[in-house]
Structures are given as C-alpha cells and as structure tokens.
Amino acid sequence: MSYETQPLHYGDLVRDPRVEKARSLLLEALELHRSKITEVRPPNPGLVAGYKSELERLAKARGGATYFPYISSGMGNGPLIELGDGSVKLDFIVGIGVHGMGHSNPQMLSASIDAALEDTVMQGNLQHDSASLWMCEKLLAFSRLQGAKLDHCLLSTSGAMANENSLKIAFHNRAPASRVICIDNCFAGRSIALASLTDRPAYRTGVPKALDVDYLPMFHPSDPQGTTQGAIRTLRQLLERYPKQHACLWLELVAGEGGYYPGTPEYFETLCQICHDHNILVIFDEVQTFSRLSRPFAFQHFGLDRFADIVTLGKITQVCATLYGETLKPKGPLLSQTFTAATAAIRCGLAVLEHLEKSNCFGDDGWNMQRHRYFRSKLEAFASKYPGKLSGPYGEGMMIAFTPGDGTYETATKMLVKLYELGLMGFVAGSNPTRLRFLPPPGVTTNDHIDMACKIIETALESL
Ligand SMILES: Cc1ncc(COP(=O)(O)O)c(C=O)c1O
C-alpha cells in the first residue's frame, strides 16, 4: 500500500515561502533541544521544590494526585521524556499506548504546523478538511489489507466513543437483540454503557447497569484445549438460554487492561464462527492493539479478517475510529458528533501511520516482532536468574508484560514505583496476578532502548 506523503491542502497559506522558512527554523530548534536528551537522569535539585508545588496544585485542581508524579517539561527524544523537575525517564508506557513515535518527534511537529495553518482547531460533522478524508481512507486501506470487508470509517475523540458507536451500529442492525457477549477480564472504556461491559466491578460502583452482558471464559495458555472448549460450551449455553437476543460478540484480541493475555486463532475463530452462524455480529476492539503486532490490526495478525464486521481503534492514531461494512450502514441519524478530533490530532495520526509503514514495523519479521523477541529473551533470562521475583514474559508484539514476585497488586505497585524512581515508566495490568506492562513506542524503539529498560528492571529486581 502506498500513500502520498502529504494530505491535500486547498489553501495558499501552506505554500507561502515564509511558512517553509518558519517550519525549518522550528525543526532546527527542536533538533537542537531534543538531542540533549539522551539518557535517563535524576531531577535537578534546583527544580524539585517548584515541581512538587506544581504537582500539588494539579492534584488539588483535578481532585486527586496523578498516578505518577509526572508533569512533562514539554521536551523528550524518542521514548525518553524530560519532566518539569529536569529528570529524564524512559517512557515505555507512552500515555498507555498513545505516543507511538515517542516524544518531541519532528514529524509530529511538522504535522502540527500543518494543522495550525488550518482555519479550524477541531474537525467535526459540519467541519471536515481533507485530513479527515485521508485519515478515513488510510484506516480503511490498512483494514482491508488481507480482505476484511470494511467500507466506512467514523472518526471520534475517544476509544470509549468509538466503542459506543460500534455497539450502536450492532444493536441497530440486530434489533431487537440487545445482549452483548464478551470475554472475562475485558476493558472497553469508561462511559456508562461500557462500564456495564468492562469486567471490573470497581469501575461501575453506583453506576446503573446500562447493558445486558454475558461473559465467556478467557483463553489461558496453561490449558489451551480446556479453556477453548470451556468458552465454546459457555457460548452454546448462552445461545440456548437467550435465543436470538445477542446482537454482537465484542472482543479484545490481546486483553490489554486485563493483563496482556492474547488468545489464539483457533480460540477466536471458533467463537466468531459460532456467532456468525447465529447472525451475531463480531466487533474487534483494537484501541490498544492497533499497530503493535505483526500486522496493523490484531485481527489480521490472528487471521480473523473474515469475521471483522465492526472494528474500533484509537490511542496511537491520535484520533479514534469505528470501521464497519456497507451492509451495516445505519438507516437514520444514529451517528453524529460536533467534534471528531482536533485537526492536529488527525494530521499527527496520519504522520504516525505513514511512519509506521515506512519504518518496517509490520510483517512476521518486522520491527514489532523483532523487538518483542529481543525484549522477551531478556525477560526470560531474568525469570531464570531471579526465580520467584519475575515470571513471564507475556503479551504479543509491542505489548509486553511480566509478573513481579507473588503477583499481588502490592508487589506490582512496589516494583512499578521502584522502576519509576530508577527511570523506567511502565504500568500495571490485570489482577490475580497483577502484571507490569510495557507499550514501547513501535515507531522509534530500538534494541538499545530495550537494553536501557532491562538494566533498570534488573536493578529493581535486585532490590525486590
Ligand atoms: C481495549 C480498549 N478499549 C477501549 C479503551 C478506551 O479508550 P479511551 O480511554 O480512549 O476512551 C481502552 C483504553 O485503555 C482500551 O485499552
């Protein structure tokens, strides 16, 4: 698949020679400043007191402390980020999968300059520029690489909104069916409807139930046959218990917040086929997985293209989206929003997609899989060297995790905090066990960055 390098511009401003001059000056300045950020470093003592007070003000204003004592200085370099106290961290969580080209990336600056030259800050239902068209076309082109029949793309501002739209499309097309099937441990977002679906009771405390949801047991590598058969059995029981009442099967192909559990092609294929046989639509949530496995979409990685009725994505693309086939096009004004995304988000998203493709991230031996194997081998070595302190690794592609110590939340957060102090950012995932996960930016992470991360992990393990 080939792209033209720049989205269309109709206006003259972007072609004004002064714009190009300003662009090169800005890029030159960025290069100079980002090149100073080359390794993890501790805070600058002179900045610590001011930074602490800013964090306290932020906690007060937002009604709670931030998870990490993190306010960025606005500068970084690839996966390295400088904080307001002058410290530099190796950011292997990137806003939970958002900054796919790392921090202070020149292509992002250039795309943001293009956006700043536009007449509007936000795109939306009554205000598209050509970047919206390009984003929709590129996402659809990616999605059809192996034959999935996805024809339309609806942009939105969050993964939750993309999932809301996916469920609306499914219910609308399968009315009056109103139940959803998903997998234990799943996470779909934080709207009221999605709180009913997300398998975390604590995330819906006091929130009224908005959807009828049925759960299938998740695939587990310790018992591939048993867990696959268990899921099939449960699915068949549900279909008997609630005949014709399910509109869709909603799936994460690698459980993200749930703890980095990938399924297998056999597990997913069987469940999707049974659902299709019962006229139940299949929705793949790719909000966290998109661009992180051997293909742009995880459904392509697992060879599930023929089941992709509706697909949602977000995070790394900066703008979120719901893709669906022609036959599911709503009859009536079901889908609409004032804002689909900021112009800068859409243009930066386009630059991310272009970069990911050009930098060979995809393919069985593409960067994502190569980096995974490298990171995996290092973590496996730690699992042997430090028995009882680290188990795993788990995950797929550029979604990788391990379980620290006894797998309790307390041990995982203790290690997470230690890693942060030493300069590495990850995050927790799952419960029973709680794991530490990493989402290194696929477009810019090198083996040297993985070495840097592993050195910090080893120091933390020694102190555990
Ligand atoms: C798989 C999955 N779906 C949906 C969402 C919700 O996305 P957002 O936070 O942008 O609403 C997330 C967020 O982490 C996610 O991981």
Side-chain angles (χ1 to χ4, degrees):
M1 185 174 41
S2 70
Y3 300 139
E4 292 182 28
T5 44
Q6 280 293 317
L8 298 168
H9 277 281
Y10 290 118
D12 288 338
L13 177 59
V14 73
R15 282 181 281 275
D16 187 307
R18 285 167 293 191
V19 166
E20 272 326 296
K21 206 165 150 197
R23 188 193 304 269
S24 32
L25 280 173
L26 283 166
L27 287 169
E28 208 180 286
L30 176 74
E31 203 46 50
L32 174 74
H33 291 281
R34 83 185 194 122
S35 66
K36 295 180 197 157
I37 300 174
T38 54
E39 57 192 2
V40 164
R41 63 174 186 236
N44 171 346
L47 297 174
V48 167
Y51 186 67
K52 189 165 169 270
S53 129
E54 207 179 332
L55 280 166
E56 283 163 4
R57 280 167 48 213
L58 179 62
K60 192 161 175 239
R62 69 192 284 280
T66 50
Y67 192 90
F68 291 116
Y70 175 111
I71 298 178
S72 135
S73 76
M75 277 305 304
N77 188 6
L80 292 164
I81 177 68
E82 182 187 63
L83 303 185
D85 63 1
S87 65
V88 171
K89 308 282 183 198
L90 179 61
D91 185 5
F92 264 25
I93 195 63
V94 291
I96 318 194
V98 176
H99 318 300
M101 288 169 64
H103 298 273
S104 299
N105 182 288
Q107 286 144 282
M108 297 291 101
L109 174 58
S110 192
S112 301
I113 294 169
D114 286 335
L117 298 170
E118 292 280 333
D119 62 308
T120 55
V121 173
M122 300 294 284
Q123 305 288 304
N125 246 12
L126 291 189
Q127 68 252 29
H128 302 289
D129 79 357
S130 50
S132 289
L133 160 68
W134 274 71
M135 178 52 87
C136 291
E137 285 187 346
K138 281 188 179 187
L139 291 175
L140 288 167
F142 265 127
S143 76
R144 294 195 288 243
L145 280 173
Q146 296 179 173
K149 292 194 169 38
L150 294 159
D151 304 295
H152 303 299
C153 169
L154 180 75
L155 300 180
S156 56
T157 46
S158 71
M161 198 60 216
N163 274 330
E164 286 273 339
N165 286 330
S166 76
L167 292 172
K168 256 192 190 177
I169 294 170
F171 290 136
H172 176 78
N173 278 281
R174 291 295 181 266
S178 62
R179 303 188 75 88
V180 181
I181 305 168
C182 47
I183 310 274
D184 286 346
N185 217 17
C186 64
F187 180 88
R190 297 198 180 247
S191 68
I192 293 178
L194 299 174
S196 293
L197 199 154
T198 291
D199 193 15
R200 291 277 180 114
Y203 291 3
R204 62 175 94 99
T205 312
V207 177
K209 188 174 99 172
L211 286 179
D212 286 320
V213 182
D214 299 307
Y215 296 89
L216 306 178
M218 150 177 117
F219 175 85
H220 205 287
S222 63
D223 182 12
Q225 272 291 100
T227 47
T228 303
Q229 289 310 316
I232 295 170
R233 224 174 12 255
T234 310
L235 177 58
R236 291 203 186 283
Q237 282 165 357
L238 287 168
L239 297 175
E240 270 181 33
R241 184 172 297 143
Y242 303 111
K244 296 192 182 2
Q245 290 184 48
H246 293 101
C248 56
L249 168 69
W250 178 97
L251 289 175
E252 277 172 282
L253 299 173
V254 180
E257 307 303 298
Y260 284 28
Y261 293 91
T264 59
E266 302 71 48
Y267 173 86
F268 291 126
E269 257 173 48
T270 323
L271 299 179
C272 292
Q273 189 61 59
I274 297 172
C275 284
H276 269 190
D277 292 345
H278 286 78
N279 202 29
I280 295 169
L281 294 165
V282 173
I283 303 176
F284 294 130
D285 176 322
E286 301 257 6
V287 173
Q288 194 161 151
T289 45
F290 179 76
S291 87
R292 294 194 167 269
L293 308 189
S294 71
R295 305 287 185 278
F297 287 90
F299 73 76
Q300 297 165 332
H301 174 88
F302 289 106
L304 302 167
D305 304 70
R306 67 187 184 284
F307 299 112
D309 296 315
I310 308 174
V311 176
T312 60
L313 57 105
K315 289 188 185 281
I316 202 166
T317 42
Q318 312 301 304
V319 48
C320 304
T322 309
L323 313 182
Y324 57 98
E326 176 64 23
T327 55
L328 300 179
K329 200 168 159 181
K331 296 162 194 67
L334 216 68
L335 310 168
S336 179
Q337 288 148 179
T338 304
F339 292 150
T340 46
T343 308
I346 301 177
R347 287 196 179 265
C348 286
L350 285 167
V352 173
L353 294 180
E354 198 174 316
H355 177 82
L356 289 176
E357 206 195 13
K358 285 192 178 144
S359 54
N360 276 336
C361 278
F362 304 121
D364 293 339
D365 199 33
W367 275 17
N368 286 352
M369 300 317 275
Q370 283 182 28
R371 303 280 181 269
H372 178 90
R373 287 194 289 272
Y374 188 70
F375 205 169
R376 173 173 281 273
S377 69
K378 297 245 159 193
L379 293 174
E380 278 167 356
F382 288 156
S384 315
K385 188 169 172 190
Y386 300 98
K389 288 191 171 189
L390 181 152
S391 45
Y394 310 97
E396 195 97 358
M398 294 299 266
M399 297 175 73
I400 194 153
F402 64 81
T403 306
D406 57 6
T408 57
Y409 177 76
E410 289 68 31
T411 305
T413 44
K414 192 171 150 212
M415 176 134 184
L416 186 65
V417 168
K418 186 74 196 168
L419 290 177
Y420 187 83
E421 284 166 8
L422 293 168
L424 174 64
M425 293 182 66
F427 201 45
V428 287
S431 51
N432 291 328
T434 304
R435 292 176 172 171
L436 291 191
R437 63 171 145 161
F438 300 100
L439 286 161
V444 294
T445 301
T446 62
N447 284 354
D448 286 347
H449 294 126
I450 295 172
D451 286 343
M452 215 187 267
C454 288
K455 215 168 139 202
I456 296 173
I457 292 170
E458 182 153 29
T459 309
L461 285 171
E462 277 163 359
S463 72
L464 197 68

